[in-house]
């Protein structure tokens, strides 16, 4: 009987999740959902809501099998995601543990997307609280007051609780937030970037409470969403949502040499953010040492494996040459795998046609039509 139940569940699994990226070999028999191994661990942490079994290894009774057959992932999604705000970030299997866990808890434990009154006031237009911020010079994390205000179009932080003037004002227009637990060394680590004097500035923050830092992340996305709705009134939510926050295309160490290509190669931390390749002495630097604009192949940008034969100085063995209309940029990777990953990232950018605003050195959403 259990063998028949397992076979039936397996057929149901294929029906409900035909294109699941990670094979959903597990199930929550109290929610009636098939889930992957990674998510099963999170579900086990909320046993009062979700009880997990293996589709193939555990015993199933008739009532559990029937409940799975009558529910399934499509019905579960229709129920538990019926009122997800457009700006709320829906994580994928490749996102960090923090985002996936809080998404699952919001859906099934707190039922935020069934009952809107259970949702945090992401859309209130104002959020105030304390986050641990990494010091620019000493690297210590200190508690700082942060205020997000849509009315002023900014995220601000203050060095002292009673300070009247903020230490920094980050315009919502140029704000980006991305979770970086490995880089920051904290599972709740969030990197926030903004423009200061036309240069990208990084700040690194975290909060001890996982829900709190994810709420801040979605509050920033909500503020960005409302800004873009006003700036681009003709755009649909589908157009706007990808512009709310962005993960970096690629990060890691490479070596670089200077414009004369006679200087020694120096190890730097590189971040590929849309068409901007920025390099830092340290991954947690506040400001980039420099950046390279990566255009498209239509504008004579190409990426080549290896370095010119005339290249001087000691460097890592796996070279990359980026050819631009003005000059060649030379980089070196420590391993062949790093080289191939970076080349794939560069190729992805170069093969994408440039948008009109990118010719003026601007990235992001197209400029709004004159009114």
């Amino acid at each position: 009987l259990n063998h028949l139940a397992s076979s039936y569940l397996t057929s149901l699994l294929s029906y409900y999740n035909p294109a699941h990226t990670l094979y959903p070999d597990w199930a929550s028999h109290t929610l009636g959902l098939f889930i992957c191994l990674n998510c099963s661990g999170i579900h086990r942490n909320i046993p009062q809501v979700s009880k997990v079994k293996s589709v193939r290894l555990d015993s199933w009774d008739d009532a559990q099998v029937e409940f799975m057959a009558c529910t399934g992932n499509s019905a579960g999604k229709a129920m538990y995601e019926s009122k997800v705000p457009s700006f709320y970030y829906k994580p994928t299997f490749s996102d960090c543990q923090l985002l996936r866990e809080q998404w699952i808890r919001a859906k099934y434990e707190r039922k935020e997307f069934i009952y809107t009154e259970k949702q945090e006031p992401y859309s209130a237009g104002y959020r105030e609280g304390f986050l641990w911020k990494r010091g620019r010079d000493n690297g210590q994390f200190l508690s700082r007051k942060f205020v997000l205000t849509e009315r002023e179009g900014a995220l601000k932080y203050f060095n002292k609780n009673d300070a009247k003037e903020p230490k920094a004002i980050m315009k919502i227009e140029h704000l980006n937030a991305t979770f970086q637990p490995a880089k920051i060394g904290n599972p709740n680590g969030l990197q926030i970037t903004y423009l200061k004097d036309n240069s990208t500035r990084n700040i690194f923050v975290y909060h001890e409470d996982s829900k709190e830092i994810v709420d801040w992340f979605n509050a920033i996305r909500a503020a960005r969403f409302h800004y873009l709705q006003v700036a681009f009134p003709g755009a649909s939510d589908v157009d706007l949502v990808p512009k709310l926050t962005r993960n970096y295309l690629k990060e890691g160490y490479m070596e670089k040499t200077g414009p004369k290509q006679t200087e020694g190669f120096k190890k730097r931390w590189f971040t590929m953010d849309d068409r901007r390749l920025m390099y830092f002495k340290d991954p947690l630097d506040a400001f980039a040492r420099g950046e390279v604009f990566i255009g498209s192949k239509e504008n004579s940008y190409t990426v080549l494996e290896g370095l010119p034969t005339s290249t001087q100085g000691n460097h890592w063995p796996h070279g990359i040459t980026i050819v631009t209309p003005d000059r060649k940029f030379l980089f070196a990777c420590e391993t062949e795998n790093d080289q191939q990953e970076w080349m794939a990232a560069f190729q992805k950018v170069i093969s994408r046609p440039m948008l009109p605003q990118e010719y003026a050195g601007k990235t992001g959403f197209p400029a709004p039509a004159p009114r």
Side-chain angles (χ1 to χ4, degrees), residues 73-365:
N73 290 42
S74 296
K77 182 175 182 179
M79 176 182 177
Y80 290 104
E81 296 184 27
S82 60
K83 295 181 175 65
V84 182
S86 297
F87 57 79
Y88 196 100
Y89 186 77
K90 297 182 180 182
T92 68
F93 74 95
S94 61
D95 279 302
C96 64
Q97 174 82 0
L98 169 71
L99 278 171
R100 290 186 287 113
E101 179 176 0
Q102 288 305 310
W103 168 251
I104 288 171
R105 288 185 178 275
K107 281 174 65 175
Y108 305 120
E109 184 179 42
R110 300 192 293 270
K111 296 183 172 62
E112 290 187 23
F113 311 129
I114 299 178
Y115 309 106
T116 53
E117 64 270 18
K118 292 181 177 289
Q119 294 179 11
E120 286 290 320
Y122 311 115
S123 302
Y126 185 88
R127 187 177 186 89
E128 180 179 322
F130 289 87
L131 299 173
W132 292 94
K133 176 189 171 292
R134 186 180 189 273
R136 175 183 168 185
D137 298 320
N138 58 21
Q140 293 182 330
F141 282 88
L142 300 172
S143 180
R144 293 289 182 255
K145 178 182 175 182
F146 281 76
V147 175
L148 177 66
T149 166
E150 287 187 22
R151 182 176 61 83
E152 298 179 30
L155 173 66
K156 302 181 288 185
Y157 79 85
F158 301 79
N159 268 355
K160 296 182 179 180
N161 297 351
D162 57 353
K164 294 183 179 180
E165 296 298 324
K167 178 65 175 177
I169 299 176
M170 299 163 265
K171 291 295 185 182
I172 289 173
E173 177 184 1
H174 303 298
L175 208 58
N176 185 48
T178 180
F179 280 100
Q180 297 275 18
K183 182 195 290 188
I184 297 173
N186 186 288
N188 298 346
L190 185 70
Q191 179 175 344
I192 298 174
T193 63
Y194 64 101
L195 289 182
K196 181 177 181 180
D197 301 326
N198 291 321
S199 296
T200 299
R201 167 75 194 272
N202 299 318
I203 65 170
F204 304 93
V205 300
Y206 73 88
H207 196 282
E208 298 95 334
D209 185 274
S210 300
K211 180 179 180 298
E212 180 71 12
I213 196 67
V214 173
D215 287 345
W216 270 100
F217 176 65
N218 280 303
I220 290 171
R221 286 176 60 86
R224 289 271 301 156
F225 184 63
H226 298 148
Y227 161 76
L228 291 173
Q229 282 182 314
V230 173
F232 312 103
S236 67
D237 289 0
V238 174
D239 293 326
L240 296 177
V241 167
K243 307 297 179 182
L244 303 185
T245 54
R246 62 188 181 276
N247 292 323
Y248 300 129
L249 184 59
K250 171 71 178 167
E251 285 195 294
Y253 283 109
M254 290 192 293
E255 291 182 335
K256 67 172 291 293
T257 186
K260 296 181 180 179
Q261 300 174 8
T262 57
E263 304 90 339
F265 279 76
K266 295 180 179 180
K267 181 181 177 181
R268 294 289 182 258
W269 176 267
F270 286 83
T271 297
M272 189 75 232
D273 184 11
D274 199 27
R275 290 193 180 275
R276 292 177 302 127
L277 177 66
M278 297 175 287
Y279 54 91
F280 307 81
K281 187 174 182 179
D282 183 88
L284 297 176
D285 281 349
F287 293 98
R289 294 295 182 95
E291 65 176 67
V292 179
F293 181 81
I294 309 294
S296 68
K297 59 184 179 182
E298 289 83 3
N299 299 95
S300 302
Y301 284 81
T302 57
V303 57
L304 304 174
E305 184 174 337
L307 300 173
T309 55
S310 59
T311 303
Q312 302 178 18
N314 295 323
H315 53 77
W316 281 339
H318 304 280
I320 298 175
T321 300
I322 294 181
V323 181
T324 78
D326 302 317
R327 56 168 284 198
K328 293 180 179 178
F329 292 90
L330 308 185
F331 308 104
C333 300
E334 188 172 16
T335 69
E336 184 178 359
N337 185 62
D338 288 342
Q339 178 197 48
Q340 294 306 310
E341 288 184 358
W342 275 110
M343 288 190 63
F346 294 144
Q347 200 64 258
K348 183 175 181 179
V349 174
I350 289 172
S351 63
R352 190 179 75 232
M354 286 176 58
L355 299 172
Q357 71 274 14
E358 291 176 329
Y359 286 94
K362 298 179 181 179
T363 58
F365 204 79

Side-chain angles (χ1 to χ4, degrees), residues 1-11 55-58 60:
L1 177 62
N2 192 59
H3 173 72
L4 292 174
S6 178
S7 298
Y8 182 53
L9 285 167
T10 302
S11 65
V55 171
R56 306 176 193 281
L57 302 177
D58 290 327
W60 290 76

